[in-house]
Structure formats: structure tokens, C-alpha cells
Amino acid sequence: MRASDMLMKRFWTALLLLAFASADAATAQFDQSKKADLAKGLQARRDSLIDYFVDRVPSSDYTKGGYFEVAARLYLGEDLEWCVTRLDSLMADPRGDMFWMYPFITVTFVGRDILPAETQAKMRSLWTTYRPYRGDTENHWAMYYTAMYLITQMYPNDAGELWFNGKSSKENFDEAREYLISWMDLTTTIGQGEYDSPDYFGVFIVPMAQMYAWADDPEMKLRAGMMLEWLIADFAVENLNGIYTGAHSRTYPDPVKNQWPTSSTSVAWMLFGNTSFHPRGETFILAVSGFEPSEILHHIATDRSAAYQHREYKRTRHRMRFSEVKNAPVYKTTYMRKEYAIGSSQGGLLQPIQQHTWDVTWAVPDPKDAHNTLFTIHPYSSWEELGMYFSWFTGWLTEGVVRSKTTYDSPDKWTGGSPFEQVFQHEDALIALYNIPEGTRFPHVDGYFSRDLEERIEDPSGWIVARGGDAFIAYYPLAPYVWQSDEDGSSRLHSAALKNGAVIQIAPAAHFDGIDGFRRAVISLPLTASTETVPTVDFVSLQGHRLSFTYGDTPSVDGLAVDYSNWPLFDGPYMRSTRGSKRLELRYGKHHRVLDFNELSIREWVDR
């Protein structure tokens, strides 16, 4: 290593240590016994997760077990013969592209000091003979380029003929580093494109955890640690008992109704212990990375003693056609209480196929088997939507998508965006409007009323009221509807009116004398709604705010139009960031923690 490089490495090492040391000094202001308890609980959950992957395949069985089972044993230094034998079998048939790369990289680094040289040589040869597909989404590229960064770091001097893509180690390394930094810059200025996805959250955590654990460059290690905290904070503030609430860029048909079995709840379980045990390979990688959340992050994730409204700015996936902008803005609002959360984006085509525009989620003792949500959807399907985000030939776009996302072209689907849906939320009241043109495929609106709802009442005023856990929910449909049965035993509110919508008001059950008291309070609220020309609503919420919203116009609160031009990257009692700043402030009480990607620094302080 050149002397200048050695000096630079020492500089970044010192900066890394200084960043985390200064943060630790301020963190020490928290109650020390509480801090020790949190660390002890985190370590116990880490250990149980690693043990889970060891114990689920006996070492006497050489026919079962994947890369995570191998990595868990290598991490503990156990059953080396079994690990070598299983690796030989797994390497005989590599598959999965970037979803092969990240578990394989995990085994590579966890086992680099224990696996025999012959096995490591076989592992290296796969990077010559197997050609993993880079993919075409944000999470694909994060996994792909992290794997390329780390494996070329391990073999820094190999020529192009030793790599599947013909590029030298240096070329691959430089390309990966450049992409990863550009992705961090984009995310910290205008947000993620695959934003707030319960299902894909884990595969954004994976590359940053791997980089944090195994990058030799202290600068990249610091970047990865800061990015991990940024992503986790983004989830922490919108989770309720481990459930990722509100609007999502991508989710699947089953988790949109039973929200617990996703990668985000697995991360919540391990880091915060606020939901049931949920083992996932992505979380295993986080467990062995050595990353520990700051105490301020733990409190943001778990303290629901006071209600709060939180806003975020995200972006659409890169658009290729049928749009005047590459990345359209996404405006998110979430209102959180200990009893429930209600969250939304503004509607429109913000993400192809798997968009989830808004929902209500109520707290339950154990969300593992619960269907604790309510939302609406216009089940839009069009090659024009797909053509906006995919470069394929438009003539067979829909057919190609349905091969893997089987519900996309279904009139009964529960995921997807619509260009004819507009949503506005303020605190715990929400208005969803639909203006569907004649001739549109699937010209109807459906509302998902979970089977876990209780005490459902249809009042003569038009309001539908129900109880979910300790929350009361009121739903005012703007158009006629019929009830249908959903396949999971829930109720589907089906409305065939093209001009459509609903007003939703949520409140804590403890604030009322039973559901009838809530019903009386809601039906007395001033409400004017019409669908004659375009859907329009004027409504005074339970918190006394007048919400006015007409389809195609800017909504207003108490007579003031919403200022979308100044919508923050993050804003609420726990998080603040302005667009373009590359800087995030986390706050809890008097405690502050700032992640600054301009200076690559972490700073903490306590107000006096």
C-alpha cells in the first residue's frame, strides 16, 4: 500500500472512530440501566436467530440446508465438515442472480478464516463461471453492487478473464463504489424509489449491513453504518408493534392484508423486540454484521405514548415513457397513536404493480395471525402503466408481468395504483377520491374491511362505523355499494360508480362511551360531499380541522392550501430533514442525533 493511501486510511479510521465515539458520549446521557437492558435484549435476540439457523437442520443430514444454515455454523465455528459438504452441493448448481450473490457473499466473509483453502478456491471460481443477472430494480442493484464491491475487495488484483463480466477487479470495484455512493446521495436528497416496502425492506438492509461488516475502507464502512441507520429510522417512525404502516411502494397480495409476515417485522423483532419472533435470512445478516441501533432509534421505534403526525418525501421509480419527469414526487403522511396508525400517499401511479396507497392499521396483542387493516383500491391495469416503468415491448407487457405477479390483471386484486385515485390526509382523517373515465378496465372501487373488525354498524346517515382493537373507525362512502365476501373471510365493499370516494375518520375507543358514542359524534360532524361533476368533500374532523378536497385540485386544511412545493424529506417530532440536504436529525426528548452525509459525520447532543 502506498504511503499516501496508508495515511488516507488512517484518516478515515480516525474519523469513523470519532463519529461513533462522539455519538456514544451523548448516548450515555440516557439511563444506563435501561441502556444495558436494551443491549442485553438485543444480544439475546441475535443469539436466538443464529441458533435458529443452526438448529433447523441437524448436522447429521447432509441433504438439507442453504447458505444461511452454513453461515450460521461458520459464524459459531461449528460442524466444519457439514459446512464444506453442503457448500459443495450448493455450488454445484448456483442460481438466483443477485439473490444468490448476497447469501453467498455472507458465507464467503463469515467463513474466510475457517473454510479450507480448497473450498475457498471453488467459491472464487464461481465468480468466473456463473453469471448473475444484475436485475432492474433499486433493491437488485444495491445487492448486486455491494456483492461486487466486497468480492473484488477480497480479490483486488484479478484480471478481467477471471470475472464473469470480463471486467478487472479494479473496474468492478470502482463501478460498484460509484453506484453505491450515487444511490446513497439520491436517497438522502429525494428519497428512495422503492420506498417503505415491508417486503423489500430486508434486501436494502442486507447490502448496507454487509458493507458495514466487511468493507475494508473506513469511509465506506462509515457510509454503510449511517445508511443503515437512515433506512431503519425511516421504518422505525412508521411502525406500530413491528408492522410497517401506511403507504408502501411495493407489497404483495397476502401481506397487504396480514401485514406481519414480512422482512420489516423480522428486523423490528431483532432490533427492537416489539413483535413476535420472525426469523429471516436478511435479518440473520444484520445480526452477524455487528450493527447496533442507537438508543434514540430504539425509542423512536417503540415509544407510542404520545400521538404524532409524520411526513415524508419519496420519489417514484425511474420513469422511461409516458411522463414528463424521471422521478415524480411522492408525498406521504402518517398519523401514529398507540391504538392505531393511518398513513397515505397522494395516489396516482407511483410504483408499478404493487403500490399500496393508504391504510388504517390498528394495534393488536399479537399481529402474527391478524388481519388488522382497512383500505380502498381502484384495481387499475394497463400496459401504459407498465410501459412507464419497464423498457419492454408494450405489446406483451401485461402478459409478461402476470407470469410472476399473477394478480396484476385481476379485477379483484388488492395491490396497485391508479391514475384516477387521489388521496389527502390530515392527522387521523383521510379523504380518498376516484374519477374513473368511461371504458376504463375494471371500473370499480373496492374497500377491504378486515374479518377482524368488530361491531360494524351501517348508520342511516351513510356512515359505516366499526371497531378494530382499541380504535373506532368511521367510513363514509360517496357512492352506492354492495358487500361481497373476500377469499380470506373479510368483507369487500364493492362500488361500481365511476365518480367515487370515501371519508375516513379514526379515533381511540377510550375517548368515547362505546361505539354508539363514537357513532353519534361522527354523524354530527359537518360533512358535504358530491360526485355530480367530480368528487368533492368538505369535512370537519373530530380534531376540529376543516378538510376541503376536490378531485384535481389542491386540498386545504382550515382554508389554507397544502404546500406540496415545500414538503420535507422528513418532518415530525422524531425526524427532520429537508430535501437535498443529505442530512437527517433524529430527536427524542432532549436528545438529538444527526447523520450528515455531506461531512460523513454522526453527531449527538443533549439539550440543557
Side-chain angles (χ1 to χ4, degrees):
M1 182 179 290
R2 293 178 301 176
S4 59
D5 292 338
M6 180 66 76
L7 288 173
M8 186 59 66
K9 184 170 183 178
R10 288 175 179 172
F11 167 77
W12 280 110
T13 301
L15 184 61
L16 175 66
L17 294 173
L18 179 63
F20 285 102
S22 63
D24 286 344
T27 302
Q29 301 295 326
F30 283 110
D31 182 80
Q32 291 304 300
S33 62
K34 176 68 172 178
K35 185 177 179 181
D37 288 343
L38 292 178
K40 184 177 179 181
L42 174 63
Q43 189 59 53
R45 292 189 295 275
R46 278 177 168 167
D47 291 344
S48 68
L49 182 61
I50 294 166
D51 289 343
Y52 166 84
F53 280 100
V54 170
D55 295 341
R56 71 175 184 171
V57 178
S59 58
S60 59
D61 189 346
Y62 289 88
T63 66
K64 296 178 183 176
Y67 290 117
F68 293 120
E69 285 76 16
V70 172
R73 281 178 162 84
L74 291 173
Y75 183 79
L76 296 179
E78 298 178 358
D79 303 320
L80 182 59
E81 180 187 353
W82 182 91
C83 292
V84 170
T85 303
R86 281 305 300 154
L87 268 177
D88 280 343
S89 297
L90 292 168
M91 288 191 294
D93 185 24
R95 61 179 67 188
D97 301 307
M98 76 297 298
F99 290 99
W100 166 83
M101 296 171 83
Y102 81 79
F104 194 69
I105 279 291
T106 302
V107 172
T108 300
F109 277 84
V110 171
R112 61 182 166 176
D113 295 325
I114 188 173
L115 285 170
E118 180 182 358
T119 299
Q120 294 196 48
K122 291 179 182 178
M123 295 174 73
R124 170 62 186 92
S125 69
L126 285 185
W127 295 97
T128 305
T129 59
Y130 175 58
R131 186 181 184 89
Y133 171 51
R134 185 178 64 168
D136 62 357
T137 66
E138 188 177 358
N139 76 84
H140 290 171
W141 286 27
M143 290 184 286
Y144 175 91
Y145 281 115
T146 295
M148 294 307 297
Y149 181 99
L150 291 172
I151 198 63
T152 53
Q153 169 191 277
M154 182 175 279
Y155 300 99
N157 301 312
D158 287 359
E161 58 264 25
L162 295 177
W163 297 102
F164 65 88
N165 58 11
K167 299 177 182 179
S168 69
S169 293
K170 185 179 186 307
E171 288 173 316
N172 276 309
F173 182 88
D174 290 346
E175 180 182 336
R177 185 180 186 278
E178 180 182 3
Y179 173 76
L180 290 168
I181 292 176
S182 70
W183 172 74
M184 293 176 189
D185 289 344
L186 187 63
T187 299
T188 57
T189 53
I190 60 171
Q192 282 186 270
E194 288 184 309
Y195 56 87
D196 302 339
S197 170
D199 303 89
Y200 288 90
F201 179 66
V203 287
F204 284 105
I205 293 298
V206 159
M208 295 302 99
Q210 291 178 322
M211 193 73 69
Y212 177 78
W214 300 312
D216 289 340
D217 181 1
E219 177 191 342
M220 286 301 285
K221 186 182 289 287
L222 176 58
R223 283 182 176 275
M226 292 169 62
M227 202 67 215
L228 260 181
E229 189 159 1
W230 186 293
L231 295 170
I232 293 167
D234 192 358
F235 161 60
V237 76
E238 291 185 298
N239 98 96
L240 178 62
N241 300 337
I243 299 297
Y244 214 147
T245 67
H248 311 308
S249 61
R250 300 185 68 182
T251 189
Y252 282 88
D254 289 334
V256 78
K257 297 186 287 187
N258 177 13
Q259 301 160 292
W260 183 82
T262 61
S263 67
S264 58
T265 55
S266 180
V267 172
W269 164 78
M270 196 195 75
L271 291 183
F272 310 124
N274 64 342
T275 191
S276 302
F277 174 61
H278 187 21
R280 295 277 296 228
E282 303 101 310
T283 312
F284 167 82
I285 293 173
L286 184 60
V288 300
S289 73
F291 175 82
E292 295 185 9
S294 60
E295 189 168 355
I296 193 171
L297 192 56
H298 178 91
H299 290 302
I300 291 172
T302 58
D303 188 351
R304 298 296 176 260
S305 59
Y308 61 88
Q309 178 163 282
H310 172 78
R311 294 185 298 163
E312 296 182 357
Y313 182 97
K314 296 294 193 289
R315 60 179 172 86
T316 63
R317 179 173 171 166
H318 297 328
R319 292 176 167 180
M320 303 178 185
R321 291 174 286 204
F322 314 134
S323 176
E324 295 180 356
V325 295
K326 179 180 179 180
N327 302 111
V330 178
Y331 307 105
K332 288 191 57 186
T333 302
T334 299
Y335 185 78
M336 182 71 68
R337 293 187 58 95
K338 65 180 180 180
E339 302 91 349
Y340 60 85
I342 178 170
S344 63
S345 61
Q346 79 274 23
L349 295 177
L350 307 177
Q351 178 74 213
I353 308 167
Q354 296 173 294
Q355 178 178 323
H356 184 56
T357 303
W358 75 272
D359 72 28
V360 176
T361 299
W362 56 90
V364 293
D366 185 357
K368 182 164 57 176
D369 299 315
H371 287 61
N372 52 324
T373 188
L374 182 149
F375 56 89
T376 60
I377 182 175
H378 168 221
Y380 181 75
S381 172
S382 169
W383 62 267
E384 291 175 291
E385 172 194 7
L386 301 178
M388 184 182 293
Y389 293 105
F390 295 99
S391 62
W392 313 340
F393 171 59
T394 57
W396 53 268
L397 262 173
T398 300
E399 178 186 350
V401 164
V402 170
R403 290 175 185 174
S404 61
K405 305 297 187 293
T406 57
T407 64
Y408 174 71
D409 198 38
S410 168
D412 300 324
K413 66 180 181 178
W414 285 120
T415 61
S418 168
F420 313 121
E421 175 185 57
Q422 295 181 358
V423 174
F424 170 59
Q425 175 188 348
H426 182 70
E427 295 175 341
D428 50 9
L430 181 145
I431 302 169
L433 302 179
Y434 300 87
N435 192 28
I436 304 169
E438 293 277 359
T440 299
R441 187 167 175 78
F442 310 146
H444 61 266
V445 174
D446 286 341
Y448 181 77
F449 281 65
S450 162
R451 67 191 188 196
D452 291 357
L453 283 168
E454 300 179 277
E455 301 182 71
R456 194 175 78 198
I457 300 170
E458 294 181 78
D459 190 79
S461 65
W463 283 97
I464 303 168
V465 297
R467 179 171 64 85
D470 292 326
F472 286 143
I473 303 169
Y475 182 100
Y476 186 87
L478 270 60
Y481 62 90
V482 295
W483 290 108
Q484 298 176 346
S485 295
D486 187 64
E487 60 185 5
D488 70 354
S490 299
S491 296
R492 180 186 295 262
L493 185 147
H494 180 83
S495 179
L498 298 179
K499 298 182 185 299
N500 217 316
V503 181
I504 296 90
Q505 173 71 70
I506 321 296
H511 290 187
F512 300 90
D513 182 17
I515 196 167
D516 194 55
F518 174 71
R519 179 191 62 82
R520 291 194 302 270
V522 168
I523 65 175
S524 67
L525 295 172
L527 170 62
T528 303
S530 172
T531 58
E532 289 185 8
T533 306
V534 293
T536 184
V537 168
D538 192 88
F539 173 62
V540 177
S541 71
L542 282 173
Q543 299 203 41
H545 296 290
R546 181 181 179 185
L547 312 182
S548 301
F549 189 23
T550 297
Y551 188 95
D553 291 342
T554 302
S556 66
V557 179
D558 298 328
L560 296 176
V562 175
D563 185 6
Y564 289 110
S565 64
N566 289 312
W567 201 271
L569 196 64
F570 294 102
D571 183 61
Y574 293 141
M575 298 173 66
R576 283 190 177 175
S577 178
T578 56
R579 271 184 274 166
S581 68
K582 298 169 63 176
R583 182 180 184 274
L584 173 63
E585 180 183 355
L586 306 178
R587 301 185 300 168
Y588 182 77
K590 295 182 178 181
H591 296 261
H592 303 255
R593 182 177 175 92
V594 173
L595 309 175
D596 192 334
F597 279 83
N598 301 289
E599 301 176 353
L600 285 186
S601 65
I602 303 172
R603 188 166 63 96
E604 281 204 19
W605 70 92
V606 181
D607 292 336
R608 301 300 182 186

